[in-house]
Amino acid sequence: MKKLLLAAAIIALTPLPAMADRTSYKPSNNPTFKKECGACHMAFQPGFLPANSWELIMDDLGNHFGEDASLDDETTSLIKQYLVKKAARRVSGEPPLRITRLRWFVREHNHEVSSRAKKKAGTMSNCTSCHRGAERGYFDDD
């Protein structure tokens, strides 16, 4: 019984790796997603946002962060299905729409990104500016 309690305590006290603690994310293997979304920006890994965030983003492509990224209905549906299937779990409340505003992202980048690097990137969503392997799912910058 003591061994069981000890094992349970160790498991309970061992922190699970948060998304921000991982350095590798599975890259997209969906050619339609990579072609259409990657034409304007990096095709972000679906696991960066919860499913309900991707649904909101895909349902408003006519106003995609100030740009018209509209696609035909079939392509939109294919990409949306892919993103929702591969997304992080759903969240309650207001789903986040910007990866760069997620708590883990802010924590990871808040103090380690110099003003020079920010200027070079142009925007914090330009992952490939600092993380050369970002499109392959590798974000370790050491």
Side-chain angles (χ1 to χ4, degrees):
M1 182 68 165
K2 285 183 182 181
K3 286 182 181 179
L4 184 61
L5 288 173
L6 179 60
I10 290 170
I11 291 170
L13 294 173
T14 303
L16 295 173
M19 187 174 222
D21 297 330
R22 298 180 196 158
T23 57
S24 180
Y25 302 89
K26 190 171 185 174
S28 172
N29 60 355
N30 183 293
T32 304
F33 169 68
K34 287 167 75 170
K35 176 186 173 205
E36 297 298 341
C37 300
C40 297
H41 55 73
M42 184 182 111
F44 298 104
Q45 285 77 6
F48 279 160
L49 288 174
N52 40 349
S53 296
W54 289 121
E55 289 170 336
L56 288 172
I57 291 168
M58 292 304 297
D59 288 345
D60 193 20
L61 289 178
N63 183 23
H64 187 65
F65 303 102
E67 300 289 330
D68 184 355
S70 298
L71 299 167
D72 64 78
D73 291 342
E74 182 180 352
T75 303
T76 300
S77 179
L78 286 170
I79 293 171
K80 182 178 176 180
Q81 287 173 24
Y82 167 74
L83 289 170
V84 169
K85 181 179 178 185
K86 300 289 187 177
R89 70 184 187 294
R90 291 181 177 275
V91 295
S92 58
E94 188 73 25
L97 296 179
R98 293 182 181 269
I99 296 166
T100 58
R101 294 202 181 137
L102 296 173
R103 195 175 359 185
W104 66 264
F105 185 95
V106 172
R107 185 177 64 240
E108 282 290 309
H109 296 86
N110 195 28
H111 298 293
E112 68 180 49
V113 180
S114 68
S115 57
R116 183 173 159 241
K118 286 179 186 175
K119 185 176 179 180
K120 177 186 168 201
T123 174
M124 289 299 284
S125 61
N126 184 4
C127 304
T128 56
S129 177
C130 296
H131 304 282
R132 286 178 257 154
E135 290 184 11
R136 295 183 316 276
Y138 189 69
F139 292 88
D140 191 0
D141 53 316
D142 294 335

